[in-house]
Tab-separated table of all heavy atoms in Angstrom:
chain	number	residue	atom	x	y	z
A	541	LEU	N	128.314	146.968	92.308
A	541	LEU	CA	128.436	148.302	92.220
A	541	LEU	C	127.179	149.061	92.109
A	541	LEU	O	126.956	150.136	92.653
A	541	LEU	CB	129.264	148.673	90.965
A	541	LEU	CG	130.718	148.100	91.011
A	541	LEU	CD1	131.492	148.410	89.682
A	541	LEU	CD2	131.515	148.854	92.150
A	542	GLU	N	126.238	148.508	91.384
A	542	GLU	CA	124.851	149.149	91.265
A	542	GLU	C	124.180	149.178	92.642
A	542	GLU	O	123.579	149.987	93.129
A	542	GLU	CB	124.049	148.415	90.308
A	542	GLU	CG	124.488	148.701	88.792
A	542	GLU	CD	123.741	147.881	87.849
A	542	GLU	OE1	122.902	147.035	88.270
A	542	GLU	OE2	123.835	148.053	86.621
A	543	ALA	N	124.297	147.923	93.337
A	543	ALA	CA	123.685	147.770	94.667
A	543	ALA	C	124.224	148.774	95.727
A	543	ALA	O	123.528	149.367	96.548
A	543	ALA	CB	123.659	146.367	95.161
A	544	GLY	N	125.604	149.053	95.579
A	544	GLY	CA	126.241	149.796	96.539
A	544	GLY	C	126.221	151.246	96.170
A	544	GLY	O	126.767	152.234	96.836
A	545	GLY	N	125.623	151.746	94.989
A	545	GLY	CA	125.566	153.008	94.540
A	545	GLY	C	126.902	153.659	94.343
A	545	GLY	O	127.105	154.946	94.583
A	546	VAL	N	127.896	152.858	93.985
A	546	VAL	CA	129.245	153.393	93.727
A	546	VAL	C	129.272	154.337	92.468
A	546	VAL	O	128.885	153.773	91.442
A	546	VAL	CB	130.292	152.263	93.622
A	546	VAL	CG1	131.687	152.817	93.401
A	546	VAL	CG2	130.198	151.346	94.858
A	547	ASP	N	129.777	155.532	92.581
A	547	ASP	CA	129.765	156.434	91.493
A	547	ASP	C	131.057	156.681	90.915
A	547	ASP	O	132.081	156.875	91.695
A	547	ASP	CB	129.223	157.846	92.089
A	547	ASP	CG	128.822	158.773	90.943
A	547	ASP	OD1	128.630	158.258	89.735
A	547	ASP	OD2	128.501	159.874	91.200
A	548	PHE	N	131.328	156.554	89.702
A	548	PHE	CA	132.670	156.665	89.086
A	548	PHE	C	132.604	157.097	87.627
A	548	PHE	O	131.550	156.843	86.972
A	548	PHE	CB	133.491	155.440	89.220
A	548	PHE	CG	132.656	154.188	88.700
A	548	PHE	CD1	132.812	153.813	87.351
A	548	PHE	CD2	132.006	153.557	89.467
A	548	PHE	CE1	132.165	152.663	86.852
A	548	PHE	CE2	131.155	152.354	88.942
A	548	PHE	CZ	131.430	152.049	87.653
A	549	ASP	N	133.573	157.759	87.127
A	549	ASP	CA	133.693	158.142	85.701
A	549	ASP	C	134.526	157.216	84.871
A	549	ASP	O	134.289	156.898	83.678
A	549	ASP	CB	134.257	159.559	85.545
A	549	ASP	CG	133.639	160.567	86.409
A	549	ASP	OD1	132.319	160.691	86.237
A	549	ASP	OD2	134.283	161.223	87.251
A	550	ILE	N	135.533	156.620	85.551
A	550	ILE	CA	136.616	155.733	84.806
A	550	ILE	C	136.773	154.534	85.735
A	550	ILE	O	136.777	154.561	86.880
A	550	ILE	CB	137.888	156.566	84.660
A	550	ILE	CG1	137.701	157.738	83.792
A	550	ILE	CG2	138.917	155.597	84.013
A	550	ILE	CD1	138.905	158.630	83.613
A	551	ILE	N	137.042	153.373	84.919
A	551	ILE	CA	137.406	152.194	85.602
A	551	ILE	C	138.933	151.882	85.311
A	551	ILE	O	139.329	151.903	84.127
A	551	ILE	CB	136.539	150.936	85.213
A	551	ILE	CG1	135.127	151.188	85.461
A	551	ILE	CG2	137.033	149.752	85.935
A	551	ILE	CD1	134.166	150.190	84.976
A	552	ALA	N	139.627	151.639	86.421
A	552	ALA	CA	141.080	151.409	86.294
A	552	ALA	C	141.427	149.986	86.717
A	552	ALA	O	140.760	149.568	87.793
A	552	ALA	CB	141.923	152.400	87.088
A	553	GLY	N	142.185	149.326	86.043
A	553	GLY	CA	142.653	147.920	86.451
A	553	GLY	C	144.019	148.015	86.846
A	553	GLY	O	144.905	148.691	86.303
A	554	VAL	N	144.441	147.160	87.955
A	554	VAL	CA	145.858	147.091	88.327
A	554	VAL	C	146.481	145.978	87.535
A	554	VAL	O	146.031	144.912	87.397
A	554	VAL	CB	145.892	146.736	89.795
A	554	VAL	CG1	147.258	146.526	90.350
A	554	VAL	CG2	145.174	147.676	90.715
A	555	ALA	N	147.587	146.313	86.857
A	555	ALA	CA	148.291	145.418	85.940
A	555	ALA	C	148.972	144.337	86.849
A	555	ALA	O	149.512	144.716	87.895
A	555	ALA	CB	149.198	146.194	85.135
A	556	VAL	N	148.971	143.140	86.417
A	556	VAL	CA	148.313	142.694	85.160
A	556	VAL	C	146.926	142.006	85.617
A	556	VAL	O	146.082	141.977	84.721
A	556	VAL	CB	149.146	141.758	84.313
A	556	VAL	CG1	150.324	142.417	83.804
A	556	VAL	CG2	149.540	140.508	85.111
A	557	GLY	N	146.776	141.539	86.762
A	557	GLY	CA	145.725	140.634	87.190
A	557	GLY	C	144.425	141.353	87.049
A	557	GLY	O	143.327	140.705	86.756
A	558	GLY	N	144.257	142.585	87.418
A	558	GLY	CA	142.931	143.280	87.369
A	558	GLY	C	142.472	143.809	86.114
A	558	GLY	O	141.349	144.095	85.873
A	559	VAL	N	143.410	143.824	85.051
A	559	VAL	CA	143.122	144.504	83.725
A	559	VAL	C	142.013	143.795	82.960
A	559	VAL	O	141.105	144.467	82.394
A	559	VAL	CB	144.385	144.692	82.870
A	559	VAL	CG1	144.088	145.279	81.667
A	559	VAL	CG2	145.397	145.710	83.624
A	560	PRO	N	142.153	142.543	82.742
A	560	PRO	CA	140.991	141.846	81.995
A	560	PRO	C	139.637	142.138	82.644
A	560	PRO	O	138.682	142.384	81.856
A	560	PRO	CB	141.355	140.392	82.079
A	560	PRO	CG	142.750	140.293	82.351
A	560	PRO	CD	142.955	141.422	83.240
A	561	HIS	N	139.461	142.140	83.835
A	561	HIS	CA	138.241	142.275	84.576
A	561	HIS	C	137.792	143.762	84.503
A	561	HIS	O	136.613	144.105	84.143
A	561	HIS	CB	138.362	141.842	85.923
A	561	HIS	CG	139.044	140.483	86.081
A	561	HIS	ND1	138.605	139.307	85.395
A	561	HIS	CD2	140.145	140.144	86.699
A	561	HIS	CE1	139.438	138.386	85.659
A	561	HIS	NE2	140.376	138.776	86.463
A	562	SER	N	138.678	144.718	84.645
A	562	SER	CA	138.388	146.073	84.591
A	562	SER	C	137.974	146.490	83.221
A	562	SER	O	137.026	147.278	82.950
A	562	SER	CB	139.532	147.012	85.132
A	562	SER	OG	140.625	146.790	84.191
A	563	SER	N	138.605	145.917	82.196
A	563	SER	CA	138.262	146.193	80.817
A	563	SER	C	137.004	145.602	80.446
A	563	SER	O	136.185	146.301	79.677
A	563	SER	CB	139.382	145.602	79.803
A	563	SER	OG	140.722	146.135	80.279
A	564	ALA	N	136.656	144.397	80.870
A	564	ALA	CA	135.451	143.719	80.474
A	564	ALA	C	134.219	144.531	81.196
A	564	ALA	O	133.219	144.792	80.559
A	564	ALA	CB	135.398	142.317	80.882
A	565	LEU	N	134.401	144.956	82.412
A	565	LEU	CA	133.439	145.719	83.211
A	565	LEU	C	133.180	147.032	82.489
A	565	LEU	O	132.061	147.534	82.235
A	565	LEU	CB	133.838	145.839	84.623
A	565	LEU	CG	132.819	146.584	85.497
A	565	LEU	CD1	131.553	145.848	85.560
A	565	LEU	CD2	133.496	146.657	87.009
A	566	ALA	N	134.196	147.726	82.118
A	566	ALA	CA	134.170	149.116	81.443
A	566	ALA	C	133.337	148.905	80.147
A	566	ALA	O	132.558	149.711	79.804
A	566	ALA	CB	135.520	149.676	81.192
A	567	TYR	N	133.704	147.876	79.399
A	567	TYR	CA	133.020	147.586	78.055
A	567	TYR	C	131.501	147.458	78.257
A	567	TYR	O	130.694	148.087	77.632
A	567	TYR	CB	133.589	146.381	77.421
A	567	TYR	CG	132.947	145.991	76.195
A	567	TYR	CD1	133.288	146.669	74.995
A	567	TYR	CD2	131.899	144.973	76.064
A	567	TYR	CE1	132.733	146.314	73.749
A	567	TYR	CE2	131.292	144.730	74.954
A	567	TYR	CZ	131.786	145.313	73.629
A	567	TYR	OH	131.210	145.041	72.499
A	568	ILE	N	131.175	146.662	79.418
A	568	ILE	CA	129.635	146.405	79.553
A	568	ILE	C	128.990	147.700	80.025
A	568	ILE	O	127.807	147.946	79.656
A	568	ILE	CB	129.561	145.318	80.651
A	568	ILE	CG1	129.848	143.973	80.122
A	568	ILE	CG2	128.073	145.304	81.252
A	568	ILE	CD1	129.873	142.894	81.117
A	569	LEU	N	129.708	148.490	80.933
A	569	LEU	CA	129.118	149.611	81.453
A	569	LEU	C	129.225	150.855	80.556
A	569	LEU	O	128.768	152.048	80.972
A	569	LEU	CB	129.636	149.835	82.931
A	569	LEU	CG	129.436	148.822	83.923
A	569	LEU	CD1	130.059	149.253	85.230
A	569	LEU	CD2	127.906	148.572	84.132
A	570	GLN	N	129.940	150.729	79.510
A	570	GLN	CA	130.220	151.810	78.518
A	570	GLN	C	130.979	152.980	79.192
A	570	GLN	O	130.537	154.095	79.174
A	570	GLN	CB	129.004	152.282	77.794
A	570	GLN	CG	128.380	151.103	77.027
A	570	GLN	CD	127.199	151.706	76.178
A	570	GLN	OE1	127.268	152.578	75.501
A	570	GLN	NE2	126.032	150.889	76.356
A	571	LYS	N	131.941	152.529	79.994
A	571	LYS	CA	132.781	153.599	80.788
A	571	LYS	C	134.159	153.583	80.252
A	571	LYS	O	134.679	152.613	79.658
A	571	LYS	CB	132.849	153.194	82.278
A	571	LYS	CG	131.589	153.377	82.939
A	571	LYS	CD	131.230	154.843	83.299
A	571	LYS	CE	130.088	154.931	84.310
A	571	LYS	NZ	129.766	156.381	84.647
A	572	PRO	N	134.774	154.840	80.215
A	572	PRO	CA	136.340	154.693	79.921
A	572	PRO	C	137.124	153.808	80.710
A	572	PRO	O	136.658	153.607	81.973
A	572	PRO	CB	136.685	156.234	79.993
A	572	PRO	CG	135.486	157.055	80.001
A	572	PRO	CD	134.370	156.042	80.588
A	573	SER	N	138.193	153.348	80.205
A	573	SER	CA	139.009	152.382	81.020
A	573	SER	C	140.602	152.726	80.894
A	573	SER	O	141.025	153.050	79.842
A	573	SER	CB	138.804	150.935	80.507
A	573	SER	OG	139.735	149.985	81.274
A	574	VAL	N	141.259	152.572	82.002
A	574	VAL	CA	142.699	152.776	81.995
A	574	VAL	C	143.287	151.644	82.824
A	574	VAL	O	142.546	150.864	83.442
A	574	VAL	CB	143.154	154.086	82.636
A	574	VAL	CG1	142.442	155.287	81.870
A	574	VAL	CG2	142.686	154.177	84.161
A	575	PHE	N	144.554	151.550	82.670
A	575	PHE	CA	145.215	150.503	83.633
A	575	PHE	C	146.418	151.117	84.168
A	575	PHE	O	147.093	152.056	83.690
A	575	PHE	CB	145.486	149.215	83.003
A	575	PHE	CG	146.618	149.223	81.952
A	575	PHE	CD1	148.005	149.010	82.323
A	575	PHE	CD2	146.312	149.316	80.581
A	575	PHE	CE1	148.956	149.012	81.366
A	575	PHE	CE2	147.429	149.367	79.686
A	575	PHE	CZ	148.654	149.188	79.965
A	576	VAL	N	146.799	150.626	85.325
A	576	VAL	CA	147.937	151.158	86.208
A	576	VAL	C	149.019	150.175	86.200
A	576	VAL	O	148.757	149.001	86.765
A	576	VAL	CB	147.524	151.573	87.639
A	576	VAL	CG1	148.595	152.240	88.353
A	576	VAL	CG2	146.222	152.518	87.648
A	577	ARG	N	150.194	150.411	85.783
A	577	ARG	CA	151.412	149.680	85.847
A	577	ARG	C	151.937	149.536	87.269
A	577	ARG	O	151.584	150.488	88.159
A	577	ARG	CB	152.501	150.155	84.997
A	577	ARG	CG	152.128	150.305	83.432
A	577	ARG	CD	153.434	150.797	82.721
A	577	ARG	NE	152.984	150.862	81.332
A	577	ARG	CZ	153.184	149.941	80.511
A	577	ARG	NH1	153.584	148.737	80.892
A	577	ARG	NH2	152.930	150.136	79.103
A	578	LYS	N	152.545	148.495	87.522
A	578	LYS	CA	153.118	148.289	88.893
A	578	LYS	C	154.292	149.358	89.177
A	578	LYS	O	154.490	149.716	90.300
A	578	LYS	CB	153.642	146.857	89.096
A	578	LYS	CG	152.611	145.794	89.153
A	578	LYS	CD	153.228	144.511	89.447
A	578	LYS	CE	152.146	143.370	89.337
A	578	LYS	NZ	151.119	143.591	90.289
A	579	GLU	N	154.940	149.713	88.157
A	579	GLU	CA	155.963	150.820	88.187
A	579	GLU	C	156.038	151.529	86.899
A	579	GLU	O	155.488	151.060	85.960
A	579	GLU	CB	157.313	150.131	88.507
A	579	GLU	CG	157.707	149.089	87.605
A	579	GLU	CD	158.963	148.302	88.012
A	579	GLU	OE1	159.290	148.219	89.261
A	579	GLU	OE2	159.621	147.800	87.095
A	580	GLU	N	156.633	152.659	86.953
A	580	GLU	CA	156.761	153.420	85.801
A	580	GLU	C	157.575	152.686	84.643
A	580	GLU	O	158.562	152.076	84.988
A	580	GLU	CB	157.479	154.865	86.090
A	580	GLU	CG	156.658	155.806	87.005
A	580	GLU	CD	157.287	157.054	87.365
A	580	GLU	OE1	158.514	157.169	87.000
A	580	GLU	OE2	156.753	157.850	87.936
A	581	LYS	N	157.260	152.890	83.414
A	581	LYS	CA	157.950	152.432	82.300
A	581	LYS	C	159.404	152.969	82.282
A	581	LYS	O	159.623	154.160	82.643
A	581	LYS	CB	157.307	152.749	81.010
A	581	LYS	CG	156.005	152.050	80.840
A	581	LYS	CD	155.287	152.518	79.531
A	581	LYS	CE	156.092	152.397	78.268
A	581	LYS	NZ	155.344	152.699	77.024
A	582	ALA	N	160.335	152.109	81.893
A	582	ALA	CA	161.740	152.665	81.917
A	582	ALA	C	162.102	153.249	80.574
A	582	ALA	O	163.133	153.789	80.378
A	582	ALA	CB	162.589	151.401	82.047
A	583	HIS	N	161.083	153.307	79.635
A	583	HIS	CA	161.254	153.963	78.352
A	583	HIS	C	160.028	154.673	78.027
A	583	HIS	O	159.022	154.773	78.734
A	583	HIS	CB	161.642	152.958	77.225
A	583	HIS	CG	160.526	151.849	77.133
A	583	HIS	ND1	160.450	150.742	77.940
A	583	HIS	CD2	159.527	151.689	76.239
A	583	HIS	CE1	159.416	150.020	77.649
A	583	HIS	NE2	158.890	150.470	76.641
A	584	GLY	N	160.000	155.352	76.772
A	584	GLY	CA	158.882	156.117	76.339
A	584	GLY	C	158.603	157.247	77.370
A	584	GLY	O	159.444	157.972	77.849
């Protein structure tokens, strides 16, 4: 990302496989992190 000059405010992970990596990357880069479910929750 640094080499490619990719600019972003938030890192999002695709549930479930992408979430550990997006979270770890956000932690290292000190960026906010979210995750995206495959579908909307049926409750809440």
